[in-house]
Amino acid sequence: MSTTKTLTEARALLSSGGSVVGATEQALAAAEAQQYLNAFLELFPETALEQAARVDAKLKAGDAGPLAGLVLSIKDNICYKDHKVSAASRILEGFTSLYSATVVERLLAADAVILGRTNCDEFAMGSSNENSAFGNVKNPVDPTKVPGGSSGGAAASVAASIVHAALGSDTGGSIRQPASFTGTVGFKPTYGRVSRYGLIAFASSLDQIGPFAHTVDDTAAVYSAMAGQDPKDSTTSSRPVEPISLEHPRKLRIGYYREGLERPGMDPEVVAHLQAHIDRLKAEGHTVEPIDVPLLDHQVPTYYILATAEASSNLARFDGIRFGHRSKVAQGVDETYRLSRSEGFGPEVKRRILLGTFVLSAGYYDAYYAQAQRVRRIIRDHTLAAFERFDLILSPTCPGTAFGHGAITDPITMYLQDIFTVQANLAGTPAISLPTGTHSNGLPFGIQLTGAPFAEAKLLAASKVLFGC
Ligand code: GLN
């Protein structure tokens, strides 16, 4: 373990004579000592220590940025110039980024140190980190369990206290679900609040980059340093980023999903925990009322039609010609495409490309893709309408706790892991998983708070003040 868990502790260490170089060396040692987790695909000792030395010099000169002292990991689908990036896929093995993602540039400019790139499901497709071409990630709380996915390495790197914070990406829950499984805070901002420039695309209309940390304070610090309009991503919003003040004295109106308490298949302890929070919030004088999830049983199918359709288009660029792996045995152009893709992509990615191509094909487009777009619009409208009545919506993050490696083999069962998380992506709202629960099986679990679009400040303040995270 590194000696500090949070940025606040790291700053305290710096003011009592510690250095960022020292903290970085310790983080590197902690990563080496916990290699069995398989959380990191690569450490960046050279550039991390160079950056740390720069930050130490700036601290001495008194002009260090807001993240001075923070050591951070990035998911292996975020580009960092002159560093390898693979999306945990054989098809990009050995590929080096030609430029840095905007989030990387902004975090470095704020004086964070980037320790390395973390393992994940291939192209961020999965809920257990069992789809990586480079092996499973172990859950630091219980290594026999998965850490969740797709940002499993990111979550594990924070849960094991190797780094203070991690960047993940969330297309249907890939930050919040692993946060729930590992006992960390995981935050997906509003679609368009954080630049996706330099994020290897999975499903562009759903993808968002966001942070993991031990505390809401650190989550807010990392989020604030990277949020805001980016001329390189035309889907980012021009709205000014609200300053985050982690105090919120006012009484709130909170909706909670009835289905989160009543749905079959829910772990009874997760339900009881949610109910206890509902009772407590009422007792504290907040208005807490049940609401129905819009089209709950249609959310996961809608998500998987749209996500796979977009993925099949985004992944067309990996063809053995322009990027990454090229088949050594292929002869001619057609065979080069076919074999390079067959050899380079893993089974889950292939399944999704097939499904996505099918739902976009001329004969089925109207029945699947166009229909899913309409359902998405209804889900979004219902979600936004709920925020006319409520400040926040409370739900479980996941139906249960982390499961064993290999325990879920059926893709449909795996996809249902996302039942409470895909709504925020379909509707574009911000949502956070807070580590509030510990199950009698010893594993952590989270609850999810969702806010209206661009209500990050309110969401983060409530997370800290109402849930003490
Ligand atoms: N588990 C979901 C999926 O497999 C979400 C992935 C993600 O958010 N990147 O698609």
Side-chain angles (χ1 to χ4, degrees):
M1 233 171 51
S2 138
T3 49
T4 57
K5 271 174 86 167
T6 64
L7 180 56
T8 319
E9 288 172 21
R11 283 187 186 131
L13 198 71
L14 289 177
S15 57
S16 61
S19 70
V20 183
V21 166
T24 305
E25 282 167 346
Q26 251 154 10
L28 289 165
E32 296 285 354
Q34 296 180 87
Q35 265 187 30
Y36 74 96
L37 293 172
N38 202 22
F40 282 87
L41 290 178
E42 188 184 358
L43 293 167
F44 305 142
E46 234 168 81
T47 46
L49 289 166
E50 274 167 27
Q51 166 81 349
R54 262 193 303 272
V55 180
D56 277 330
K58 281 171 118 183
L59 282 165
K60 229 180 225 146
D63 61 358
L67 297 184
L70 185 93
V71 181
L72 171 109
S73 66
I74 56 174
K75 183 173 176 178
D76 187 37
N77 59 358
I78 297 173
C79 295
Y80 181 7
K81 189 174 185 329
D82 299 331
H83 294 72
K84 288 198 177 113
V85 64
S86 76
S89 180
R90 294 259 173 238
I91 209 148
L92 275 175
E93 204 172 357
F95 179 79
T96 301
S97 295
L98 303 171
Y99 58 84
S100 285
T102 297
V103 291
V104 164
E105 282 184 350
R106 290 188 181 177
L107 293 176
L108 289 174
D111 287 339
V113 167
I114 297 178
L115 197 72
R117 59 185 168 104
T118 55
N119 202 347
C120 56
D121 282 306
E122 186 176 0
F123 286 99
M125 298 174 183
S127 301
S128 62
N129 218 123
E130 294 170 298
N131 296 333
S132 166
F134 306 108
N136 294 356
V137 175
K138 295 192 166 77
N139 189 325
V141 184
D142 175 352
T144 66
K145 302 287 190 288
V146 302
S150 63
S151 315
S157 73
V158 173
S161 292
I162 296 167
V163 286
H164 303 119
L167 288 191
S169 65
D170 191 312
T171 306
S174 279
I175 294 176
R176 292 158 287 151
Q177 186 250 17
S180 179
F181 279 15
T182 57
T184 52
V185 177
F187 178 42
K188 179 200 97 71
T190 306
Y191 184 78
R193 184 73 297 180
V194 172
S195 171
R196 291 179 295 110
Y197 179 76
L199 170 69
I200 296 176
F202 162 12
S204 311
S205 77
L206 303 157
D207 295 342
Q208 256 307 269
I209 293 174
F212 288 87
H214 284 290
T215 63
V216 172
D217 282 307
D218 287 1
T219 305
V222 174
Y223 159 75
S224 301
M226 64 184 183
Q229 190 175 19
D230 176 13
K232 292 175 180 152
D233 174 359
S234 61
T235 62
T236 52
S237 169
S238 59
R239 282 168 76 123
V241 179
E242 270 184 280
I244 310 278
S245 143
L246 293 179
E247 283 159 41
H248 211 279
R250 189 160 81 71
K251 297 294 175 213
L252 296 177
R253 295 162 303 155
I254 301 168
Y256 68 88
Y257 286 136
R258 226 187 296 267
E259 288 89 341
L261 298 177
E262 289 168 5
R263 205 183 150 73
M266 288 294 302
D267 185 310
E269 288 189 37
V270 173
V271 172
H273 177 79
L274 194 70
Q275 185 65 57
H277 276 290
I278 292 169
D279 297 342
R280 174 185 62 82
L281 291 165
K282 279 188 191 159
E284 289 172 3
H286 302 282
T287 307
V288 191
E289 287 170 9
I291 44 170
D292 294 315
V293 190
L295 301 174
L296 182 67
D297 288 328
H298 298 277
Q299 287 191 13
V300 169
T302 303
Y303 166 79
Y304 275 92
I305 289 171
L306 298 177
T308 55
E310 293 184 30
S312 72
S313 160
N314 275 326
L315 270 54
R317 72 188 64 158
F318 304 105
D319 56 6
I321 309 279
R322 289 169 291 176
F323 299 97
H325 174 78
R326 178 179 300 174
S327 172
K328 299 215 169 26
V329 294
Q331 290 182 345
V333 178
D334 281 355
E335 208 176 73
T336 299
Y337 287 156
R338 192 155 42 78
L339 291 186
S340 301
R341 286 167 70 81
S342 300
E343 293 163 9
F345 289 133
E348 181 62 25
V349 175
K350 286 180 188 158
R351 177 181 299 124
R352 295 196 188 201
I353 291 173
L354 288 172
L355 190 59
T357 311
F358 172 77
V359 299
L360 288 174
S361 60
Y364 295 95
Y365 181 96
D366 285 333
Y368 292 101
Y369 182 76
Q371 192 70 357
Q373 288 284 36
R374 287 186 206 106
V375 178
R376 179 181 190 176
R377 170 48 63 116
I378 297 170
I379 293 169
R380 179 175 159 83
D381 289 348
H382 277 268
T383 308
L384 299 188
F387 288 112
E388 285 165 18
R389 283 174 58 205
F390 297 106
D391 296 299
L392 298 168
I393 294 174
L394 183 62
S395 67
T397 307
C398 308
T401 53
F403 44 88
H405 296 272
I408 299 184
T409 47
D410 161 40
I412 305 287
T413 311
M414 189 68 96
Y415 294 171
L416 285 170
Q417 279 296 312
D418 306 329
I419 185 103
F420 295 113
T421 49
V422 294
Q423 184 180 353
N425 304 80
L426 291 169
T429 52
I432 191 164
S433 179
L434 300 169
T436 55
T438 306
H439 199 275
S440 60
N441 65 15
L443 295 169
F445 61 92
I447 52 177
Q448 175 174 248
L449 272 187
T450 307
F454 302 102
E456 274 82 3
K458 192 188 279 180
L459 186 63
L460 292 168
S463 300
K464 180 167 175 178
V465 178
L466 300 189
F467 294 91
C469 290

